[in-house]
């Protein structure tokens, strides 16, 4: 102790800081994340108190702290001052598991001043400790769309002793390759967007993210001189028009590569894990450029594919040829070298996903098994101990049986292999049980949640909470990850994921609502929003993604956005039953929706300026609109069939047709209240990106057509203002006009989808592609009165649906 006091006294004589200041002292060595943690502490302290603390890096040969209160960043393994405090009995130790995600927040009163130690088992978890300190002591809360940072004169350092350790080893999100709106699709994000996203991942204590947004210029880097960069001023030569297969890069492809490199470096500096893809990576979002085949005209490709992606650039290379495995590994090695920092920490493989091959089911299965064997052999030859994530998506179809999957797991080494179970929240099948993973093989609970088209609030917590309770009790379940095809669609779910991936104790929806309202809103607003969320969630939960369950396939179909292309007009008895089953599930919960919308409208005057509340209000409103649109279509189908059977009057069909049209108009009004739903605003935002690595962010002039192709295609249609206001509304007019004409003619034969509606599909799409986005963008005024009015109009339209369900005129 005497030695420490002498060292401190000597340092005081040369210190430039003033007594009484808070000084942040980072370690002299260790991962870059420790310096980042110190910088984040200083920035947050200043945001809360308005005072900038002193930020210094300790000297390795002078293990002393400056005068005044001090914050020590890092454990004794990296910080000599913490080590000296332990040696001199100021504390006994930190009780950390070194190298992991646990962390300690410990206050020590030492020589008339407060010393706060923020230490993690790694640099990453030390960053967690910093964010958690401000959450606990300053009331700061973190969200993907902004932080809540209260203002205080000072922050207490004393009296803190917290040891945190996550329940699940892997916690995080997957970002996918669909495109359409900036908020929802990561392919639109520039480096500043990604920095905010990665910072938020750390604030939420995630440690894993998957950049499944395509492969950018990987082929050009792996095969220089053989695969040239495509032109940056036009359509990609391999693009498919009016499809998500138009993979034309919005920015020049060389710029996309620099962006990927910078994003992954930023994440790696902070300790985040990013899996390296290996094996048969070719997919719709990771094409083989046609120029590769030009340079390799005899390159072997599988030619007996039976189902799935059929374009030549999407083909899986012939797995019987070693040449193809060498080329696949060349791509993986290149990504590790150019984007992965040269040292992989995780691998990932999706196998021969979403396709079938060969002459029989057995042949298909044996080929897929062979691919997993060869992929493991490739990885283990070079990286014998790096864990491998096995993507489970292919297992839910494409000729796999549950027994096939169980047998496959016996071929995987459980010490180095993890089943990334993407579909653990499927409503009609409990996959992880059926595959025998529980208690037997390491697995990650994957919340699939939604496809690109499903951008509203819709997770079913009656399913999710019960299954997560089961997963949390299984020592073999080592992760909780969101696998959605769309980002930022459901803020409530993201908060549920963050809380329960660290400590699965807030599983019930009611508990999650309490936490959400307490942390996301100011106290007065939180009290007002708690009953709103409580009333709203039962309606949001009425739909859920599924493969075979008729009453819950609405999320998969979203027929309101593809009215003429969805088969809705072909009202077979089976289709009617599916619509009826879903209607019976959704309609009862719609009753409370008009009052929910009225409550949100009433809050607009006081809280419109609160961006987080405004976003939630719009998300809730468009979710209500989705449910009401579906129910109105199902009501119309039922009345149409009843009329055909001489059991209903034509006027009943006309009334519901008018309600349905009004709902589309009301939804467009709601979407117009935010640029987040405007494709034109998304297109303009691309121009904001900055230069990277000496490469300018040149926006491809074909980007507008690519954006339209990626949003309008039948798979991806969702809450795009320009689509809802034009294509969807015109489709509704065409549909109901056809119905009216049939009724007027007295033709009571079976409902069929006639050629005239197919013609309308093409005509409406043609008009959309021919019209500049600038001519279709929302022009409505925005403000508290306008938002309240839009919510009110939607409430009136929804009330008509509720009344129709109750039999009222």
């Amino acid at each position: 102790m005497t030695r420490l006091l002498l060292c401190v006294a000597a340092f005081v004589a040369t210190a430039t800081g003033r007594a009484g200041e808070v000084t942040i002292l980072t370690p002299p060595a260790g991962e870059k994340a420790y310096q980042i943690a110190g910088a984040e502490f200083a920035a947050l302290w200043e945001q809360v108190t308005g005072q900038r603390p002193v930020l210094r890096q300790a000297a390795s040969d002078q293990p002393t702290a400056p005068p005044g209160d001090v914050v020590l960043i890092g454990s004794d393994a990296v910080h000599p001052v913490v080590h000296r405090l332990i040696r001199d009995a100021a504390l006994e130790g930190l009780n950390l598991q070194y190298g992991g995600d646990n962390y300690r927040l410990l206050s020590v009163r030492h020589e008339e001043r407060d010393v706060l130690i923020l230490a993690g088992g790694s640099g990453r978890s030390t960053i967690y400790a910093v964010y958690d300190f401000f959450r606990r002591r300053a009331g700061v809360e973190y969200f993907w769309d902004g932080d809540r940072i209260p203002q205080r004169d000072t922050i207490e350092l004393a009296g803190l002793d917290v040891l945190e350790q996550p329940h699940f080893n892997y916690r995080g999100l997957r970002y996918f390759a669909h495109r359409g709106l900036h908020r929802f699709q990561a392919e639109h994000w520039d480096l500043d967007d990604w920095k905010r996203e990665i910072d938020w991942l750390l604030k939420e204590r995630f440690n894993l993210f998957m950049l499944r947004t395509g492969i950018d210029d990987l082929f050009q880097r792996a095969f220089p001189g053989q695969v040239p960069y495509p032109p940056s001023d036009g359509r990609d030569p391999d693009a498919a028009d009016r499809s998500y297969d138009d993979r034309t890069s919005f920015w020049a492809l060389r710029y996309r590569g620099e962006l990927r490199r910078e994003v992954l470096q930023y994440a790696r500096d902070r300790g985040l894990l990013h899996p390296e893809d290996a094996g048969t990576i070719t997919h719709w979002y990771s094409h083989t450029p046609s120029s590769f085949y030009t340079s390799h005209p005899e390159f072997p490709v599988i030619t007996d594919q039976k189902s799935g992606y059929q374009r030549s650039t999407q083909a899986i290379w012939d797995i019987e040829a070693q040449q193809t495995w060498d080329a696949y590994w060349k791509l993986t090695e290149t990504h590790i070298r150019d984007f992965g920092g040269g040292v992989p920490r995780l691998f990932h493989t999706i196998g021969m996903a979403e396709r079938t091959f060969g002459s029989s089911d057995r042949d298909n299965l044996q080929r897929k098994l062979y691919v997993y064997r060869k992929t493991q052999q490739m990885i283990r030859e070079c990286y014998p101990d790096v864990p491998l994530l096995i993507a489970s998506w292919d297992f839910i179809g494409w000729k796999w049986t549950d027994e096939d999957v169980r047998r496959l797991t016996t071929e995987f080494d459980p010490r180095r292999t993890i089943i990334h179970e993407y579909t653990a929240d499927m409503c009609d099948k409990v996959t992880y049980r059926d595959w025998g993973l529980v208690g037997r093989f390491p697995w990650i609970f994957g919340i699939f949640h939604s496809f690109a088209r499903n951008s509203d609030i819709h997770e079913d917590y009656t399913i999710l909470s019960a299954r997560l309770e089961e997963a949390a009790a299984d020592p073999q379940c080592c992760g909780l990850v969101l696998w959605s095809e769309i980002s930022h669609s459901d803020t409530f779910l993201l908060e549920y994921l963050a809380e329960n991936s660290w400590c699965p104790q807030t599983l019930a929806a009611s508990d999650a609502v309490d936490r959400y309202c307490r942390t996301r809103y100011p106290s007065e607003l939180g009290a007002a929003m708690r009953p709103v969320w409580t009333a709203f969630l039962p309606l949001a939960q009425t739909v859920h993604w599924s493969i075979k369950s008729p009453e819950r396939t609405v999320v998969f179909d979203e027929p309101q956005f593809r009215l003429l292309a969805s088969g809705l007009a072909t009202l077979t008895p089976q289709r009617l039953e599916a619509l009826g089953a879903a209607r019976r599930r959704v309609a009862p919960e719609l009753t409370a929706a008009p009052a929910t919308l009225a409550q949100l409208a009433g809050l607009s005057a006081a809280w419109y300026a609160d961006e987080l509340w405004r976003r939630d209000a719009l998300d809730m409103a468009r979710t209500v609109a989705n449910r009401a649109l579906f129910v109105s279509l199902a009501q119309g189908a039922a009345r149409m069939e009843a009329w055909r059977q001489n059991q209903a009057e034509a006027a009943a069909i006309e009334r519901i047709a008018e309600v349905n049209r009004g709902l589309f108009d009301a939804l467009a009004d709601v979407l117009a209240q935010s640029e987040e739903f405007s494709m034109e605003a998304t297109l303009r935002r691309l121009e904001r990106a900055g230069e990277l690595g000496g490469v300018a962010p040149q926006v491809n002039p074909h980007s507008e057509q690519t954006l339209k192709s990626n949003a309008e295609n039948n798979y991806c249609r969702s809450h795009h203002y320009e689509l809802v206001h034009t294509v969807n509304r015109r489709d509704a007019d065409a549909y109901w006009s056809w119905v009216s004409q049939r009724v007027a003619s007295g033709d009571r034969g079976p409902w069929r989808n006639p050629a005239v509606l197919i013609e309308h599909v093409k005509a409406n799409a043609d008009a959309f592609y021919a019209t500049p986005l600038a001519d279709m963008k929302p022009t409505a005024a925005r403000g508290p009165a306008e938002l309240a009015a839009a919510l009110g109009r939607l409430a009136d339209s929804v009330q008509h649906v509720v009344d129709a369900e109750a039999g009222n005129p």
Side-chain angles (χ1 to χ4, degrees):
M1 178 65 71
T2 301
R3 184 168 64 252
L4 179 63
L5 292 177
L6 290 174
C7 290
V8 170
F11 190 85
V12 169
T14 58
T16 59
R18 300 182 304 274
E21 281 188 333
V22 173
T23 300
I24 307 158
L25 199 62
T26 60
E31 306 164 48
K32 189 174 181 179
Y34 291 107
Q35 306 307 318
I36 293 169
E40 285 296 287
F41 189 99
L44 280 167
W45 186 279
E46 184 174 20
Q47 290 179 67
V48 172
T49 67
Q51 300 297 317
R52 182 73 178 180
V54 177
L55 175 62
R56 294 184 186 155
Q57 187 172 8
S60 57
D61 59 348
Q62 193 176 28
T64 57
D69 294 343
V70 65
V71 178
L72 303 177
I73 302 292
S75 73
D76 57 312
V78 294
H79 208 307
V81 176
V82 179
H83 173 58
R84 180 55 60 90
L85 288 171
I86 293 174
R87 286 197 62 187
D88 291 338
L91 67 153
E92 286 303 307
L94 295 173
N95 297 325
L96 292 173
Q97 292 180 359
Y98 288 83
D101 272 353
N102 61 152
Y103 60 87
R104 184 81 179 271
L105 290 73
L106 180 64
S107 302
V108 178
R109 185 66 183 170
H110 180 67
E111 299 302 324
E112 305 301 322
R113 48 97 175 267
D114 290 318
V115 176
L116 173 65
I117 301 170
L118 299 179
S122 64
R124 178 178 65 228
S125 56
T126 302
I127 297 177
Y128 297 162
V130 167
Y131 290 132
D132 197 20
F133 169 79
F134 285 95
R135 183 184 287 112
R136 291 172 182 272
R137 282 296 169 91
V140 176
E141 297 291 347
Y142 312 103
F143 301 92
W144 73 265
D145 51 348
D147 298 335
R148 295 286 189 185
I149 303 181
Q151 303 301 298
R152 301 189 177 188
D153 292 336
T154 188
I155 305 173
E156 182 63 51
L157 299 181
L160 193 60
D161 187 356
V162 174
L163 180 63
E164 284 279 350
Q165 182 168 341
H167 179 90
F168 293 110
N169 290 336
Y170 297 100
R171 310 167 306 280
L173 295 90
R174 167 195 188 257
Y175 300 88
F176 202 48
H178 287 295
R179 300 183 284 192
L181 293 173
H182 177 272
R183 166 182 166 183
F184 300 111
Q185 279 98 3
E187 280 230 1
H188 294 289
W189 300 350
D190 61 20
L191 184 58
D192 287 341
D193 294 321
W194 273 112
K195 286 180 176 180
R196 280 190 295 273
E197 184 75 4
I198 290 168
D199 290 344
W200 169 72
L201 292 176
L202 291 158
K203 292 170 183 177
E204 296 282 36
R205 299 182 292 192
F206 293 129
N207 65 353
L208 170 72
F209 82 119
M210 301 178 67
L211 202 62
R212 305 286 290 168
T213 56
I215 54 176
D216 296 321
D217 61 347
L218 184 59
F219 269 89
Q220 285 77 12
R221 291 170 182 261
F223 304 101
Q226 303 173 41
V227 182
Y229 283 88
S232 59
D233 58 353
R235 174 181 176 273
D236 188 296
D238 298 326
D241 292 335
R242 300 194 181 189
S243 164
Y244 53 75
D245 259 333
D246 182 351
R247 299 298 299 165
T248 302
S249 180
F250 293 132
W251 294 296
L253 190 60
R254 196 182 299 273
Y255 182 83
R256 288 283 322 177
E258 286 302 305
L259 177 61
R260 172 179 284 260
R261 186 182 60 80
E262 293 268 6
V263 167
L264 291 179
Q265 183 64 53
Y266 189 86
R268 190 163 51 252
D269 287 344
R270 287 150 181 79
L272 286 180
L273 303 174
H274 182 269
E276 296 285 351
D277 280 325
T280 50
I281 67 170
T282 314
H283 212 62
W284 70 262
Y285 51 87
S286 51
H287 287 195
T288 300
S290 58
S291 57
F292 176 84
Y293 293 124
T294 301
S295 299
H296 303 81
E298 303 300 324
F299 197 84
V301 173
I302 293 177
T303 58
D304 66 346
Q305 183 176 322
K306 303 302 181 186
S307 68
Y309 308 106
Q310 299 286 350
R311 297 181 65 210
S312 60
T313 57
Q314 298 165 346
I316 288 179
W317 301 337
D318 188 352
I319 60 172
E320 301 298 327
Q322 185 59 40
Q323 178 185 1
T324 69
W325 289 103
D326 293 341
Y328 274 135
W329 187 244
K330 179 70 171 176
L331 292 169
T332 299
E333 283 186 314
T334 301
H335 197 283
I336 293 170
R337 181 197 70 212
D338 287 11
F339 302 115
V343 183
R345 301 184 66 182
L346 278 173
F347 283 100
H348 168 272
T349 187
I350 197 169
M352 300 166 80
E354 297 191 343
R355 287 169 272 202
T356 58
F357 305 85
S359 59
S360 65
D361 290 353
R362 182 186 183 279
D363 188 20
N364 174 68
L365 177 62
Q366 288 301 322
R367 293 197 198 190
K368 292 188 173 187
L369 293 174
Y370 178 66
V371 164
Y372 283 116
R373 293 162 187 161
K374 284 290 290 185
T375 301
Q376 290 180 91
Q377 184 273 333
M378 278 195 317
I379 293 171
R380 299 304 170 216
E381 188 173 318
C382 299
Y383 301 99
D385 300 315
V386 178
L388 169 63
L389 303 179
I390 304 293
S392 74
W393 179 248
D394 198 52
F395 299 160
I396 64 171
W398 300 281
K399 302 300 184 179
W400 288 90
T401 68
D402 293 340
E403 181 56 33
D404 291 336
V405 180
R406 285 193 290 270
R407 283 199 300 269
L408 174 64
T409 59
T410 65
E411 297 187 4
F412 295 140
D413 182 350
R415 296 168 300 177
R416 299 179 294 175
T417 316
I418 303 166
I419 303 296
H420 189 170
E421 215 289 61
Y422 286 172
T423 59
D425 65 331
M426 185 191 301
C427 70
D428 56 330
K429 182 177 177 63
V430 186
T431 42
Y432 58 84
R433 283 191 221 143
D434 296 338
W435 298 336
L437 302 179
V438 178
R440 190 178 65 86
F441 197 89
W443 62 290
I444 291 173
F445 189 110
I447 302 174
F448 182 82
H449 187 56
S450 57
F451 298 90
R453 67 189 67 172
N454 308 134
S455 68
D456 69 3
I457 303 170
H458 57 261
E459 187 65 34
D460 189 334
Y461 294 93
T462 60
I463 294 173
L464 188 58
S465 60
R467 294 191 188 174
L468 276 179
E469 186 174 3
E470 182 178 8
D474 181 16
Q476 292 286 5
C477 185
C478 56
L480 176 58
V481 172
L482 178 65
W483 187 90
S484 178
E485 283 189 357
I486 191 169
S487 298
H488 300 165
S489 61
D490 190 337
T491 306
F492 185 85
L493 175 68
L494 291 175
E495 290 303 303
Y496 183 94
L497 172 75
E499 180 73 5
N500 289 296
S501 64
W502 187 267
C503 181
Q505 294 181 353
T506 314
L507 298 175
S510 58
D511 293 338
V513 165
D514 288 344
R515 181 186 180 279
Y516 190 86
C517 293
R518 184 181 70 252
T519 59
R520 186 161 170 86
Y521 309 120
S523 57
E524 180 185 349
L525 179 58
M529 285 297 290
R530 191 171 289 107
V532 176
W533 273 102
T534 299
F536 164 77
L537 270 187
L539 175 65
Q541 294 183 93
T542 53
V543 297
H544 188 59
W545 88 276
S546 175
I547 298 298
K548 298 176 182 176
S549 180
E551 70 275 13
R552 286 175 173 164
T553 55
V554 188
V555 150
F556 189 89
D557 290 335
E558 298 285 21
Q560 65 273 20
F561 296 133
R562 44 198 54 79
L563 181 57
L564 302 188
S566 68
L568 184 65
T570 308
L571 294 176
T572 63
Q574 293 81 6
R575 179 64 174 166
L576 279 169
E577 178 56 30
L579 288 171
R583 173 186 168 191
R584 288 189 292 273
R585 176 174 165 82
V586 176
E589 301 297 346
L590 197 62
T591 305
T596 296
L597 294 169
Q599 288 175 292
L600 292 172
L603 291 169
S604 181
W607 297 103
Y608 180 85
D610 190 300
E611 183 180 358
L612 274 60
W613 173 83
R614 193 168 68 247
R615 181 171 289 109
D616 286 355
L618 290 172
D619 285 353
M620 296 168 93
R622 61 194 180 85
T623 301
V624 170
N626 264 14
R627 305 297 180 271
L629 276 164
F630 167 74
V631 171
S632 70
L633 290 173
Q635 289 172 343
R639 283 158 176 72
M640 290 159 60
E641 184 65 9
W643 173 85
R644 197 179 72 83
Q645 301 291 342
N646 290 309
Q647 297 173 358
E649 298 294 325
I653 300 175
E654 291 299 325
R655 284 195 297 271
I656 203 62
E658 197 59 34
V659 167
N660 184 253
R661 289 187 181 104
L663 280 167
F664 276 112
D665 292 337
L667 174 58
D669 288 347
V670 167
L671 299 181
Q673 289 301 305
S674 173
E675 283 197 344
E676 288 184 343
F677 306 108
S678 168
M679 296 170 65
E680 194 271 341
T682 286
L683 185 65
R684 283 190 290 105
R685 187 158 178 164
L686 293 171
E687 299 169 355
R688 193 191 70 177
E691 182 177 299
L692 295 176
V695 182
Q698 178 182 350
V699 177
N700 193 320
H702 190 71
S703 291
E704 177 160 341
Q705 288 302 311
T706 296
L707 180 60
K708 289 178 175 178
S709 295
N710 281 221
E712 182 277 332
N713 70 84
N714 190 51
Y715 185 86
C716 297
R717 289 189 186 185
S718 186
H719 287 147
H720 308 76
Y721 170 82
E722 290 85 351
L723 282 175
V724 172
H725 187 57
T726 58
V727 175
N728 298 152
R729 185 60 173 83
R730 292 168 188 162
D731 284 358
D733 278 342
Y735 176 75
W736 291 115
S737 294
W738 166 68
V739 170
S740 295
Q741 291 167 11
R742 271 284 309 269
V743 172
S745 72
D747 180 1
R748 297 183 188 270
W751 295 98
R752 302 294 184 198
N753 198 352
V756 65
L757 289 186
I758 303 303
E759 292 169 4
H760 275 295
V761 171
K762 185 176 185 307
N764 292 342
D766 286 347
F768 172 73
Y769 283 99
T771 306
L773 286 173
D775 293 345
M776 294 185 282
K777 67 180 181 180
T779 57
R782 296 180 184 135
E786 288 79 9
L787 176 58
L791 294 171
R793 286 191 292 272
L794 178 58
D796 290 343
S797 294
V798 174
Q799 188 62 57
H800 289 314
V801 180
V802 172
D803 290 343
E805 194 68 19
N808 298 325

